């Protein structure tokens, strides 16, 4: 491959490429040939991307000549931001998007050598006029500051060459330029006039077999491409194989996963080598990488409160405070029990202090001390280099990026972060003094704008975009996604420039004809890049039918049917006939000193799904509270329960309750609710406090309605509230807590449980308990039980659902009450006996939604399929 490369290097030519990827490719190809020839060492060949070569020449001239100072891209973005804000009204939505569009338009104006007076003369629309005015102001800022940006380097070098102030190579070879810009032409023309021989790498034409294929959808297409590559590499492991996707920039991670699915089925269970078998040319925004997102979130905590979800992420992250996360995970569970609100560092420290004494929890909380100390400088101004150094120190104090040995990928990512801090420091040229908040926002903006793709070790297959593949050669090439809606791609002329101006200067996509011609040229280049080429397209995108691109008509390819979509590897698991049965390993019986969690709920779980009772009761698994905005159902329920406990804590009789005056009732209820609110109010911010105020009004009204309903009952006295009972049966010890116990007129007990969610019936249609919770309480109390009742407390209605020979709801059934209660107690005892024996059966009658929480542990779906 690249037969011209050795000759070019031997005759002293400098190779300038359109991309860094092509430069690395050529360097690698040259090194391989040198090593194959037996050479032990050789001079690094002069191969550079155009941007890198221009920057190298600029830096050399800056050491020996008085030339303008270079403003890097980060500093240029600050200048452009100032200029645009002066032209736009305050509060323009999506300003960062407008800024990116302006920067891209400026790049095109510079590369196509469009004079600014022409931009101004042709500006008609509001967008065009805003850009024109901002560009003129930006250029004036550069001129007055004695600066030059990256877009002007090429023109400066051409000027220096014409003035014979730049030492140029004798030979330059250009490679991979699908669309040379006027700026490049200006530079090469100046070098030619100065005696440099400028040539273009010969057009490679390895045209051979061209296959045409279509697939059901884009997923099937990419999986098939991976399977095609696997077949090739099985015959020749040294073959250079690539897959090109015009849509790669839209979701490169997904595209890579699909190609891997066909290339290395089961790669998810393999080593890093399987994951790295596909090298993707397109990266993603630096801020989207988890380690960088954690660093940015921590730094943003310096100038704003973080929402609960962000703090939760920092608590669980392995990038901070050491490798151990057990204690931090327990702190995170505590956080979930607190209000969902924006947290300042000192408020969170008070909320979590003393909650866990493990080393990793203490390390994390000590990191808050460093952060709080740095917040004292929030209002001061300093050089951005100072802030970059402080940010680095803060992250080091938190142990970022973690204690584990960095992989090649992680090492490059951390180095890119260090470079980002240097770029922040470099903005001092145009913004010498910044406040802490400004520095953090600038760092975030830089990370959001930078697309980072680490250099990967040699991979089996390269996954490229159409432009990234420019100038490259392959043994086998698959170009996918060539349907009419994708190829030729939609033209993207700049909306900030006059269309007539773009057409006059021949700018990209100025006309549909230009877009079509360029797409045809790129496709022709890809077809000639390898002797074996496959062109494919999906017949559907899941919503509509697709047709092949009309540009495929020019290639007389043969239709392919042998390369089938291998489909998802995991599907094979559903039809495997190589299953082997393992020996049962039943759990031990409940030990005498074993702690069983969950209280009476465990008995009901044993009745509906023994596996759940085992997981929650014996393994101690518990569901993490969801992070929800506002007053959650759990908080609302606890508030009602606690308020009722406070209201009835002195165990009044019904007569006393009914004799409370309206003033006394109002005072008692208000005091009870306020005492219950003390806990959630402890960590409430202003917004949450206002919500709790509204909840207080609702709860007060609810309790007033409840008292009115209680006065209409038959006579009772309250015998206990929130009563704790230790219950043991069949060797299982349960810690119970009963909401309320009433003593009725016949001296029997009525066991009550408050329900604050959806109204719930105590008995089903057959007269059996829907929940055995109250039956467990009855079994634990060594007294005569006159009835069981659910009290449904809702703002709209108060309802009683009960049964027994001494209650007025649900109909009295005195002739069978004690017999029915005894049978229910026997049922509880039988369930506890099963639980104590180690019962872990899975209820296969559960619907998918009902089983979802524990489905991965119970393997209910797999068990169903085996039935």
């Amino acid at each position: 491959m690249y037969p011209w490369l050795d000759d070019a290097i031997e005759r002293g030519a400098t190779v300038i490429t359109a991309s860094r990827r092509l430069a690395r490719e050529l360097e690698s190809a040259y090194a391989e040939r040198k090593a194959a020839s037996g050479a032990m060492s050789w001079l690094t060949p002069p191969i550079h991307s155009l941007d890198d070569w221009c920057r190298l020449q600029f830096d050399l001239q800056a050491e020996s000549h008085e030339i303008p100072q270079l403003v890097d891209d980060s500093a240029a973005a600050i200048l452009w931001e100032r200029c645009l804000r002066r032209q736009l009204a305050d509060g323009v939505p999506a300003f960062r998007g407008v800024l990116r569009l302006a920067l891209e338009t400026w790049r095109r104006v510079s590369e196509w050598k469009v004079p600014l007076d022409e931009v101004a003369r042709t500006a008609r629309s509001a967008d065009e006029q805003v850009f024109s005015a901002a560009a003129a102001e930006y250029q004036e800022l550069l001129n007055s500051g004695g600066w030059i940006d990256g877009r002007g380097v090429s023109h400066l070098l051409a000027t220096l060459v014409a003035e014979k102030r730049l030492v140029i190579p004798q030979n330059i070879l250009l490679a991979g330029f699908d669309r040379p810009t006027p700026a490049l032409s200006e530079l090469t023309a100046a070098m030619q006039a100065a005696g440099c021989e400028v040539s273009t790498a010969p057009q490679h034409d390895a045209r051979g077999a061209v296959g045409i294929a279509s697939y059901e959808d884009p997923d099937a297409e990419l999986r098939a491409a991976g399977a095609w590559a696997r077949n090739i590499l099985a015959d020749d492991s040294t073959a250079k194989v690539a897959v090109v996707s015009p849509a790669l920039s839209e979701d490169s991670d997904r595209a890579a996963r699909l190609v891997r699915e066909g290339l290395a089925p089961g790669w998810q269970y393999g080593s890093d080598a399987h994951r790295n078998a596909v090298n993707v040319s397109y990266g993603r925004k630096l801020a989207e990488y988890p380690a960088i997102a954690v660093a940015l979130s921590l730094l943003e905590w310096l100038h704003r409160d973080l929402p609960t979800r962000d703090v939760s992420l920092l608590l669980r992250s392995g990038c901070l405070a050491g490798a151990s996360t057990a204690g931090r995970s327990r702190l995170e569970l505590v956080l979930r029990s607190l209000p969902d609100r924006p947290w300042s560092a000192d408020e969170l420290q008070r909320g979590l202090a003393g909650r866990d004494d493990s080393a990793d929890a203490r390390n994390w909380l000590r990191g808050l001390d460093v952060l709080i100390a740095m917040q004292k400088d929030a209002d001061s101004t300093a050089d951005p280099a100072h802030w970059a150094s402080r940010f680095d120190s803060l992250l080091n104090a938190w142990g970022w990026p973690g204690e584990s040995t960095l992989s090649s990928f992680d090492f490059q990512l951390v180095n890119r972060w260090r470079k980002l801090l240097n770029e922040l420091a470099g903005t001092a040229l145009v913004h010498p003094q910044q406040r802490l908040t400004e520095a953090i926002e600038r760092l975030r903006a830089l990370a959001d704008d930078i697309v980072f793709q680490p250099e990967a070790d040699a991979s089996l297959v390269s996954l490229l975009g159409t432009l990234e593949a420019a100038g490259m050669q392959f043994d086998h090439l698959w170009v996918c996604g060539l349907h009419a809606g994708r190829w030729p791609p939609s033209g993207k002329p700049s909306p900030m420039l006059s269309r007539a101006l773009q057409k006059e200067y021949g700018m990209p996509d100025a006309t549909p004809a230009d877009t079509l011609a360029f797409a045809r040229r790129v496709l022709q280049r890809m077809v000639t890049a390898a002797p074996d080429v496959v062109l494919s397209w999906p017949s559907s995108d899941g919503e509509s039918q697709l047709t092949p691109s009309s540009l495929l008509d020019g290639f007389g390819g043969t239709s392919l049917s042998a390369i089938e979509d291998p489909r998802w590897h995991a599907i094979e698991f559903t039809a495997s006939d190589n299953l082997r049965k393992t020996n049962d390993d039943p759990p031990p019986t409940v030990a005498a000193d074993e702690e069983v969690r969950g209280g009476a709920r465990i008995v009901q779980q044993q009745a509906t799904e023994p596996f759940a009772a085992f997981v929650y009761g014996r393994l101690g698994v518990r569901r993490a509270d969801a992070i929800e905005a506002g007053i959650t159902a759990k908080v609302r329920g606890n508030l009602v329960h606690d308020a009722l406990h406070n209201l009835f804590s002195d165990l009044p009789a019904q007569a006393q309750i009914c004799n409370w005056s309206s003033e006394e009732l109002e005072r008692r209820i208000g005091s009870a609710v306020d005492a219950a609110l003390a806990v959630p109010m402890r960590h409430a911010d202003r917004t949450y406090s206002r919500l709790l105020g509204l909840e207080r009004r609702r709860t007060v009204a609810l309790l007033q309605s409840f008292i009115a309903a209680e006065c209409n009952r038959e006579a009772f006295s309250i015998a206990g509230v929130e009563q704790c009972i230790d219950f043991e049966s069949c060797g299982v010890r349960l810690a119970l807590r009963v909401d309320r116990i009433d003593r009725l007129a016949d001296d029997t007990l009525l066991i009550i449980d408050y329900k604050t969610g959806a109204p719930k019936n105590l008995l089903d249609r057959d007269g059996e308990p829907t929940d055995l919770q109250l039956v467990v309480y009855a079994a634990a109390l060594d007294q005569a039980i006159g009835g069981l009742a659910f009290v449904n407390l809702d703002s709209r209605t108060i309802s009683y659902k009960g049964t027994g020979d001494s209650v007025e709801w649900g109909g009295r059934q005195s002739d069978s009450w004690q017999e029915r209660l005894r049978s229910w107690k026997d049922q509880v005892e039988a369930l506890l006996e099963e639980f104590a024996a180690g019962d872990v059966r899975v209820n296969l009658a559960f619907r998918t939604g009902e089983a979802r929480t524990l489905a991965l542990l119970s393997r209910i779906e797999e068990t169903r399929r085996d039935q």
Side-chain angles (χ1 to χ4, degrees):
M1 293 184 181
Y2 313 108
W4 49 265
L5 180 60
D6 289 353
D7 178 66
I9 300 301
E10 293 302 323
R11 61 185 172 86
T14 296
V15 179
I16 299 179
T17 66
S19 67
R20 288 192 178 97
R21 173 172 285 273
L22 179 56
R24 292 196 301 268
E25 168 75 9
L26 295 178
E27 288 176 4
S28 177
Y30 184 77
E32 287 177 4
R33 286 207 280 270
K34 280 294 184 181
S37 68
M40 300 299 293
S41 63
W42 53 89
L43 293 175
T44 301
I47 303 174
H48 310 277
S49 69
L50 177 61
D51 288 343
D52 289 343
W53 184 83
C54 288
R55 181 61 186 266
L56 175 62
Q57 302 307 309
F58 180 90
D59 290 343
L60 291 174
Q61 296 308 304
E63 297 174 359
S64 56
H65 296 91
E66 291 186 4
I67 59 176
Q69 189 172 0
L70 180 63
V71 174
D72 65 17
D73 291 344
S74 303
I78 293 177
L79 295 179
W80 263 103
E81 182 175 341
R82 291 177 187 168
C83 298
L84 280 175
R85 288 195 185 279
R86 278 194 280 268
Q87 302 300 326
L88 295 170
D90 293 337
V92 172
F95 178 79
R96 299 301 305 179
V98 176
L99 176 60
R100 293 188 189 102
L101 180 59
L103 290 170
E104 171 61 22
T105 304
W106 177 253
R107 182 187 66 80
R108 287 195 178 187
V109 165
S110 301
E111 291 181 345
W112 261 260
K113 306 294 295 177
V114 182
L116 290 184
D117 57 352
E118 284 291 291
V119 174
R121 183 182 62 80
T122 58
R124 295 290 183 271
S125 70
D127 289 343
E128 293 167 8
Q129 292 172 354
V130 164
F131 175 79
S132 173
E137 183 178 352
Y138 172 75
Q139 186 62 59
E140 179 58 31
L141 287 175
L142 293 181
N143 295 339
S144 61
W147 301 326
I148 188 174
D149 66 4
R151 306 281 74 83
V153 169
S154 175
H155 175 70
L156 174 64
L157 293 180
T159 302
L160 293 176
V161 170
E163 295 174 355
K164 299 184 179 179
R165 296 167 57 191
L166 179 67
V167 178
I168 59 175
Q170 294 182 344
N171 291 281
I172 284 182
L173 186 69
L174 303 177
F177 291 91
D178 277 337
R179 195 199 296 260
T181 65
L184 175 60
S185 299
E186 177 193 35
L187 178 59
T188 55
M191 289 193 290
Q192 285 177 316
C196 175
E197 180 184 341
V198 179
S199 58
T200 301
Q203 179 67 39
H204 180 70
D205 191 351
R207 187 195 304 266
V210 176
I212 304 292
S214 65
Y215 291 89
E216 179 181 0
D217 54 41
D219 287 5
E221 185 183 21
L222 287 168
R223 288 193 299 262
W228 164 82
R230 173 159 48 94
N231 293 336
I232 291 170
L233 293 168
D235 294 333
D236 181 6
S237 61
T238 65
K240 187 176 178 184
V241 183
V243 177
V244 171
S245 170
L248 188 62
S249 62
E250 296 174 6
D251 194 345
S252 58
D253 286 346
R254 176 174 175 79
R257 290 195 299 271
L258 290 165
V259 174
R260 285 193 205 101
E261 191 71 24
L263 176 66
W267 60 272
Q268 299 92 334
Y269 325 111
S271 63
D272 287 344
H274 292 82
R275 182 177 297 274
N276 297 331
V278 177
N279 177 25
V280 188
S281 70
Y282 194 87
R284 51 178 168 164
K285 292 179 179 179
L286 188 63
E288 294 177 357
Y289 288 92
I292 305 302
V294 165
L296 289 170
S297 186
L298 184 63
L299 293 177
E300 287 175 349
W301 210 356
L302 287 167
H303 75 104
R304 68 176 179 91
D305 297 345
L306 287 189
T308 299
R309 291 183 185 276
D310 289 0
V311 178
S312 169
L313 176 63
L314 296 182
L315 274 166
R316 292 179 283 113
S317 172
C319 298
L320 301 175
S324 177
T325 59
R328 290 188 280 139
S329 296
R330 289 190 289 270
L331 286 182
E332 200 266 348
L333 291 176
V334 173
L335 175 69
R336 288 172 179 265
S337 68
L338 301 177
D340 177 25
R341 48 156 294 186
W343 290 95
S344 68
D346 55 345
E347 287 171 331
L348 183 74
Q349 192 175 54
R350 290 194 296 270
L352 299 183
R355 297 300 190 102
D356 194 279
D357 196 42
S358 60
D360 65 297
R362 292 198 306 272
N363 287 341
W364 197 91
L365 292 175
R366 276 196 294 268
L368 288 180
D369 293 332
V370 181
L371 190 141
I372 292 170
M374 190 171 173
Q375 284 178 328
K376 297 175 182 178
D377 298 331
D379 294 329
S380 61
T381 59
D383 184 282
H386 168 81
W387 293 126
S389 177
R390 295 293 301 277
F391 296 160
D392 190 53
S393 297
L394 177 65
L395 291 174
N396 286 336
W398 278 78
W400 186 90
E403 294 180 347
S404 59
T405 302
L406 296 180
S407 65
S408 173
F409 170 86
D410 294 330
F411 184 77
Q412 292 180 66
L413 185 64
V414 171
N415 277 347
R416 187 61 187 89
W417 170 259
R418 308 291 186 204
K419 183 179 178 182
L420 187 71
L421 292 178
N422 289 334
E423 291 171 5
L424 174 65
T427 62
L429 181 64
V430 297
H431 197 177
Q433 292 293 307
Q434 299 179 15
R435 295 175 61 247
L436 172 65
T437 297
E438 292 175 317
I440 294 171
E441 291 176 347
R442 179 61 52 193
L443 190 67
R444 161 65 75 175
L446 291 174
D448 282 338
D449 288 339
I450 292 171
V451 175
F452 173 68
Q453 172 61 35
E455 296 182 19
D457 297 331
S459 301
L460 297 177
V461 175
S462 295
L463 179 58
L464 309 167
T466 52
L467 299 183
E468 287 81 11
M472 298 182 68
Q473 299 174 21
F474 312 96
D475 294 319
H476 306 271
L477 178 65
W478 182 306
V479 185
C480 61
L482 297 175
H483 61 85
R486 173 70 64 181
W487 200 260
S490 300
K492 295 181 179 179
S494 175
M496 289 186 159
L497 292 175
S498 159
R499 186 65 66 88
L501 181 69
Q502 296 181 64
K503 183 177 179 180
E504 179 183 351
Y505 281 84
M507 300 177 76
D509 298 327
T511 64
D514 175 80
T515 301
L516 178 62
F518 185 69
R520 181 176 285 115
R521 188 161 68 249
V522 169
L523 184 58
Q524 179 65 38
R525 180 253 300 162
M526 290 189 292
V527 167
T528 61
D532 174 31
V533 175
V534 175
L535 306 177
S536 67
W537 54 278
S539 58
S540 170
D541 61 2
E543 296 181 357
S544 57
Q545 295 300 309
L546 304 176
T547 58
S549 169
S550 60
L551 297 185
L552 293 179
D553 296 341
F555 303 99
T558 58
S559 178
L560 297 179
S561 58
I563 308 169
E564 297 182 354
D565 169 21
R567 309 192 69 78
W568 296 105
H569 171 68
I571 292 178
E572 298 180 9
F573 296 155
T574 65
S576 175
D577 58 357
N578 296 320
L579 299 177
R580 58 187 180 86
K581 184 174 179 59
T582 58
N583 295 327
D584 290 336
D585 184 18
T589 59
V590 173
D593 59 347
E594 183 174 342
E595 178 185 1
V596 176
R597 301 173 179 84
R601 185 177 70 254
I602 294 302
V603 178
Q604 183 60 36
Q605 289 173 335
Q606 181 67 30
T608 54
E609 188 182 29
F611 181 76
F614 171 76
V615 170
Y616 293 123
R618 300 192 63 186
L619 297 184
V621 172
R622 62 184 175 121
R623 300 181 186 181
D625 294 330
I627 299 175
E628 302 178 62
I631 308 296
T632 65
K634 181 178 180 180
V635 171
R636 186 175 290 113
N638 288 342
L639 177 59
V640 172
H641 277 77
D642 293 345
L644 287 171
H645 171 263
N646 298 333
L647 184 61
F648 298 140
S649 60
D650 55 353
L651 306 182
Q654 183 193 41
Q656 294 173 280
I657 296 173
C658 295
N659 286 331
W660 289 340
S661 66
S662 58
E663 293 79 6
E664 183 180 6
L665 178 62
E666 183 178 353
R667 179 184 59 78
R668 284 177 174 268
I669 290 178
S671 177
V673 174
D674 288 341
L677 280 169
V679 173
M681 284 291 288
R682 190 175 302 156
H683 301 290
D685 62 354
R686 180 179 300 178
T687 301
Y688 199 75
S689 295
R690 293 185 65 183
L691 291 175
L692 288 175
L694 296 174
E695 190 61 25
R696 181 189 186 280
R697 291 168 52 185
R698 190 192 77 90
T699 306
V700 166
L702 180 65
L703 264 59
Q704 289 173 338
S705 299
F706 179 52
I707 293 299
E710 288 287 272
C711 290
N712 290 325
R713 284 177 50 191
E714 294 182 359
F716 67 89
S717 63
I718 298 177
V721 290
E722 299 291 338
Q723 182 170 329
C724 294
I725 306 171
D726 290 328
F727 174 56
E728 181 174 353
S729 177
C730 303
V732 180
R733 292 184 291 112
L734 299 176
L736 309 177
R737 188 171 67 177
V738 187
D739 283 350
R740 180 171 146 189
I741 301 173
D742 284 0
R743 189 168 296 281
L744 305 178
D746 60 359
D747 205 35
T748 61
L749 300 181
L750 173 65
I751 302 175
I752 294 175
D753 192 70
Y754 301 126
K755 299 297 181 184
T756 57
K760 187 174 182 179
N761 291 320
L762 178 65
L763 303 179
D764 61 18
R765 294 179 179 178
D766 299 325
E768 296 298 315
T770 59
D771 191 322
L772 291 169
Q773 175 185 6
L774 295 183
V775 180
V776 177
Y777 296 157
L781 291 169
D782 189 20
Q783 299 184 53
I785 307 300
L788 311 174
F790 285 159
V791 178
N792 295 301
L793 296 156
D794 187 86
S795 300
R796 291 163 292 187
T797 182
I798 306 293
S799 64
Y800 296 81
K801 302 293 183 180
T803 187
D805 58 8
S806 301
V807 298
E808 62 266 38
W809 319 291
R812 289 187 173 86
Q813 301 178 14
S814 56
D815 57 335
S816 61
W817 164 243
Q818 293 300 331
E819 181 180 340
R820 287 189 297 127
L821 181 60
R822 189 178 302 109
S823 70
W824 294 342
K825 290 181 179 179
D826 291 343
Q827 184 180 352
V828 167
E829 184 175 5
L831 290 169
L832 288 174
E833 187 174 1
E834 294 174 352
F835 179 85
D839 186 10
V840 290
R841 288 171 297 157
V842 176
N843 185 356
L844 298 180
F846 267 0
R847 295 188 296 270
T848 300
E850 295 172 310
R852 180 170 292 122
T853 305
L854 297 177
L856 288 177
L857 291 175
S858 67
R859 301 181 65 83
I860 184 172
E861 296 298 336
E862 294 89 336
T863 305
R864 279 186 184 137
R865 287 195 293 266
D866 290 342
Q867 296 300 307

